[in-house]
């Protein structure tokens, strides 16, 4: 009887994180998870076909489930593999380039337990290498014309006003808690993005299914950001360009879609191309151009819901 009461009080959380050539960061994350005060969770690491041998994870943390993918499935595909293995009532998608506070999980679970209309919730994200400087404290809606949104608090010093818990426009994929029942209803993350914009699309899917997105300011996670991909790389530039328009094509309809495509092709993309040319970053220029040209080719993906 005591065991059943314990399970109801502390629903199991499956923490899922992807490792891709970032073994040192994954080990640092696992070390921080060892200090977590929440009493009922499992950890699943999905190795996305890294060139590094992830065996150190098994040696140092034998209780962690290590799933080795034969190919790099990207952010969504890797997380979806983890979801297939997860046994929890809640799924926490957590970047491997993060470290957590010991008590970060209780406020997230408590928020979702207390409100069944919430389909996803994110923790406060603080830049790891800039103590007290925020990356994410909620979000503004994605602008249907530009395909961009803003992270509330970005670049500001953390303070009491960012400790609130409230609805927000979108969750952040670096630390996002999902009820298993919502994933079962909505489906898993859209894999056509590979990198970037997938959590924005997933939040749109969750909203369209009738659920809210919340920000939980009493849960704090430190984020090292872009450790696997890099900050100014052709890979990142390609997918940011390609997926910005892909998101609009999947989530905006009618005249607004045509206006957003016109803005992207006549203002946003040419501006980026010019900036890359002036900086003599021709590798980024080519990546941006390829990201645009992707939309001129036929694809199997559904561009409408």
């Amino acid at each position: 009887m005591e065991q059943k009461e314990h399970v109801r009080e502390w629903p199991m959380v499956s923490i899922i994180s992807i490792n891709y050539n970032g073994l040192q960061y994954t080990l640092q994350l696992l070390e921080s998870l060892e200090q977590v005060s929440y009493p009922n969770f499992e950890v699943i690491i999905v190795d996305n076909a890294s060139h590094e041998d992830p065996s150190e994870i098994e040696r140092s943390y034998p209780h962690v489930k290590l799933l080795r993918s034969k190919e790099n499935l990207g952010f969504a595909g890797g997380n979806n593999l983890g979801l297939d293995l997860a046994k929890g009532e809640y799924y926490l998608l957590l970047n491997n380039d993060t470290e957590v506070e010991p008590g970060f999980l209780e406020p997230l679970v408590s928020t979702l337990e207390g409100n069944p209309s919430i389909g996803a919730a994110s923790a406060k994200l603080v830049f790891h290498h800039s103590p007290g400087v925020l990356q994410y404290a909620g979000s503004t809606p994605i602008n249907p014309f530009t395909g961009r949104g803003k992270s509330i608090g970005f670049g500001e010093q953390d303070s009491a006003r960012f400790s609130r818990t409230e609805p927000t426009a979108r969750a952040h994929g670096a630390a996002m808690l999902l009820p298993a029942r919502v994933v079962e209803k909505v489906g898993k993350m859209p894999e056509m993005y590979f990198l970037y914009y997938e959590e924005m699309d997933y939040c749109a899917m969750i909203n369209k299914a009738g659920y809210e997105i919340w920000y939980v300011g009493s849960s704090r996670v430190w984020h090292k950001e872009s450790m696997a991909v890099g900050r100014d790389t052709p890979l990142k530039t390609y997918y940011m360009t390609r997926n910005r328009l892909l998101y609009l094509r999947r989530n905006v309809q009618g005249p607004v879609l045509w206006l957003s495509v016109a803005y992207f092709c006549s203002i946003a993309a040419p501006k980026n191309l010019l900036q890359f040319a002036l900086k003599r970053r021709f590798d980024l220029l080519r990546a941006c151009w390829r990201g645009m040209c992707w939309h001129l080719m036929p694809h199997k993906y559904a561009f409408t819901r």
Side-chain angles (χ1 to χ4, degrees):
M1 188 67 179
E2 290 181 2
Q3 180 67 21
K4 290 182 180 179
E5 288 294 327
H6 174 79
V7 171
R8 282 203 295 270
E9 185 178 1
W10 303 109
M12 184 176 180
V13 177
S14 297
I15 300 176
I16 301 168
S17 190
I18 299 172
N19 177 67
Y20 178 69
N21 296 330
L23 182 59
Q24 62 173 319
Y25 304 112
T26 300
L27 293 172
Q28 290 165 4
L29 167 62
L30 292 174
E31 183 179 354
S32 76
L33 289 174
E34 289 291 291
Q35 310 304 316
V36 166
S37 56
Y38 192 86
N40 190 20
F41 68 96
E42 64 175 354
V43 180
I44 300 169
I45 301 296
V46 179
D47 184 74
N48 238 347
S50 296
H51 303 305
E52 302 173 318
D53 182 2
S55 298
E56 179 62 31
I57 295 172
E58 295 173 308
R59 289 193 295 269
S60 299
Y61 301 95
H63 55 283
V64 169
K65 298 178 182 179
L66 176 62
L67 179 61
R68 302 175 190 239
S69 175
K70 294 181 179 179
E71 59 179 312
N72 185 354
L73 300 175
F75 181 78
N79 275 308
N80 288 343
L81 275 184
L83 291 174
D84 290 337
L85 191 63
K87 297 180 179 179
E89 295 179 48
Y90 291 96
Y91 307 139
L92 178 69
L93 308 185
L94 186 65
N95 274 22
N96 76 317
D97 60 349
T98 61
E99 294 181 27
V100 303
E101 285 192 336
F104 89 108
L105 205 45
E106 285 89 341
L108 286 169
V109 174
S110 176
T111 299
L112 270 68
E113 280 280 284
N115 190 343
S117 67
I118 301 176
S122 273
K124 176 191 295 179
L125 295 178
V126 182
F127 284 114
H128 183 272
H129 300 303
S130 300
V133 178
L134 293 173
Q135 180 188 14
Y136 169 91
S139 174
T140 64
I142 298 293
N143 187 308
F145 294 100
T146 66
R148 291 288 181 88
K150 292 183 179 180
S151 289
I152 295 169
F154 182 87
E156 298 184 42
Q157 284 290 326
D158 193 8
S159 65
R161 69 189 180 96
F162 296 115
S163 296
R164 66 202 182 281
T165 294
E166 62 185 12
T168 192
R170 61 181 175 90
H172 197 294
M176 179 166 63
L177 187 67
L178 304 158
R181 58 182 172 77
V182 172
V183 174
E184 184 176 352
K185 179 178 178 180
V186 174
K188 293 186 290 188
M189 298 187 80
E191 296 186 12
M192 73 282 291
Y193 287 91
F194 193 77
L195 281 174
Y196 304 115
Y197 275 87
E198 58 274 278
E199 76 267 31
M200 300 181 194
D201 196 298
Y202 202 40
C203 286
M205 292 169 61
I206 291 169
N207 282 149
K208 289 178 181 178
Y211 297 101
E212 299 175 348
I213 311 293
W214 277 56
Y215 160 73
V216 181
S218 53
S219 174
R220 188 161 62 172
V221 171
W222 291 284
H223 192 197
K224 298 163 190 176
E225 194 190 21
S226 298
M227 291 302 176
V229 178
R231 288 184 174 83
D232 292 309
T233 66
L235 180 69
K236 182 174 182 178
T237 300
Y238 170 75
Y239 280 110
M240 287 295 285
T241 304
R242 167 192 183 267
N243 292 349
R244 180 176 173 183
L245 188 53
L246 176 57
Y247 173 87
L248 291 169
R249 292 178 68 180
R250 280 175 51 83
N251 291 281
V252 182
Q253 289 81 41
V256 177
L257 174 60
W258 291 109
L259 288 171
S260 65
V261 171
Y263 172 86
F264 179 84
C265 294
S266 62
I267 298 176
K271 177 185 175 182
N272 290 337
L273 291 169
L274 179 60
Q275 288 177 338
F276 295 146
L278 292 174
K279 294 178 181 178
R280 302 186 67 80
R281 288 299 306 270
F282 300 114
D283 56 338
L284 302 185
L285 188 151
R286 287 190 295 269
C288 183
W289 179 253
R290 287 193 301 109
M292 295 174 62
C293 291
W294 182 89
H295 291 274
L296 300 177
M297 298 180 287
H299 298 285
K300 63 180 179 180
Y301 306 123
F303 292 108
T304 57
R305 300 202 188 283

